[in-house]
Amino acid sequence: QVQLEESGGGLVQAGGSLRLSCAASGRTFSQYPMGWFRQAPGKEREFVAATTGSGGSTIYADSVKGRLTISRDNTKNTVYLQMNSLKPEDTAVYYCAVDLTTGRVVPTTRAQSYDYWGQGTQVTVSS
């Protein structure tokens, strides 16, 4: 059974940093793209960042480029989101997800393509 569990969220002042972690279990994930999404109150879930199975290639939403960095450690079945220079508009519940589509190498920004999701972790950035 595939499970994803996020951690590391919290309350931080604008300009501060947080590091989110997503621990995956239930199978080997090193072949599959993984991503981070977020959902703010009253808004739709939006793409944040994603990485290939190896972690060698990444993609980002324009709103987070240069501030957030996705990485993964396949020896630990864990994906990370390093969040720097945080802004109040980054406030949201952050979710990690895995895309188990066979043969997909390039990660996608489409939430519908991801098969399993974590329960989310709250990030609140105060001004």
Side-chain angles (χ1 to χ4, degrees):
Q1 181 181 356
V2 173
Q3 290 188 322
L4 304 177
E5 184 173 1
E6 302 95 337
S7 61
L11 173 63
V12 64
Q13 289 188 333
S17 298
L18 282 173
R19 188 194 196 202
L20 305 185
S21 299
C22 172
S25 61
R27 64 178 297 166
T28 300
F29 295 91
S30 59
Q31 300 174 348
Y32 303 104
M34 295 189 72
W36 287 95
F37 291 75
R38 66 187 181 186
Q39 188 166 19
K43 295 187 177 181
E44 293 185 353
R45 189 170 298 190
E46 65 173 359
F47 170 78
V48 175
T51 179
T52 54
S54 68
S57 181
T58 56
I59 56 174
Y60 296 92
D62 288 343
S63 59
V64 306
K65 282 180 181 177
R67 301 188 300 115
L68 275 57
T69 303
I70 187 171
S71 62
R72 66 192 294 167
D73 184 344
N74 285 334
T75 67
K76 298 180 179 179
N77 263 1
T78 299
V79 63
Y80 305 98
L81 187 67
Q82 178 65 44
M83 310 171 69
N84 298 330
S85 302
L86 283 163
K87 305 176 181 180
E89 51 263 44
D90 294 317
T91 295
V93 177
Y94 283 72
Y95 300 89
C96 69
V98 61
D99 178 356
L100 298 179
T101 304
T102 301
R104 193 194 307 282
V105 176
V106 178
T108 175
T109 63
R110 297 177 66 248
Q112 300 93 319
S113 296
Y114 290 80
D115 302 284
Y116 290 92
W117 296 77
Q119 81 290 347
T121 186
Q122 176 70 48
V123 171
T124 303
V125 184
S126 63
S127 58

